[in-house]
Amino acid sequence: QAQPVESGGGLVQAGGSLRLSCTASGRTLGTMDWFRQAPGKEREFVARIFWSSGNTYYADSVKGRFTISRDNTESTGYLQMDSLKPEDTAVYYCKVQKGPQFAWGQGTQVTVSS
């Protein structure tokens, strides 16, 4: 699996929104996940989409605020982040997987100011 590429991070005020993108290899995927890691903290799961079905799964911390989606043609996934909180500040990583093969992106910084 080729390394995916994230984009869309930046600085936003609390209550604002950002949309992250993750561009994959172009071949069909099994799943696309988003994780995040804040300084001094463990990397934590954020959201998953099953590529074929479109079914999604979210961490409780972001449920109702974040939405993961996909574009099959472009092999691109999105993480729409609304009602952002300072606690959402982290580097966000995309992980793509099909069968035993998986790959991580380099990450994109999201900073939410109060």
Side-chain angles (χ1 to χ4, degrees):
Q1 188 67 249
Q3 186 176 37
V5 179
E6 305 99 332
S7 63
L11 174 65
V12 65
Q13 294 184 165
S17 298
L18 283 174
R19 189 185 74 164
L20 307 183
S21 298
C22 175
T23 300
S25 66
R27 71 205 326 157
T28 181
L29 300 173
T31 56
M32 177 178 287
D33 296 352
W34 288 94
F35 288 73
R36 67 186 183 186
Q37 188 166 24
K41 295 187 179 294
E42 304 286 272
R43 188 171 297 188
E44 65 174 337
F45 170 81
V46 175
R48 167 174 289 180
I49 186 165
F50 291 85
W51 210 257
S52 60
S53 67
N55 289 345
T56 58
Y57 180 79
Y58 298 93
D60 287 342
S61 59
V62 306
K63 192 175 298 182
R65 300 188 298 119
F66 291 10
T67 304
I68 188 169
S69 61
R70 54 149 165 72
D71 181 332
N72 287 314
T73 301
E74 302 295 328
S75 296
T76 299
Y78 304 96
L79 185 68
Q80 178 68 43
M81 306 185 295
D82 298 320
S83 302
L84 283 162
K85 305 174 180 179
E87 305 94 282
D88 296 317
T89 295
V91 177
Y92 283 70
Y93 298 91
C94 178
K95 177 189 176 186
V96 296
Q97 183 163 359
K98 185 169 187 177
Q101 300 185 51
F102 65 92
W104 293 88
Q106 291 295 112
T108 185
Q109 176 72 48
V110 171
T111 303
V112 184
S113 66
S114 60

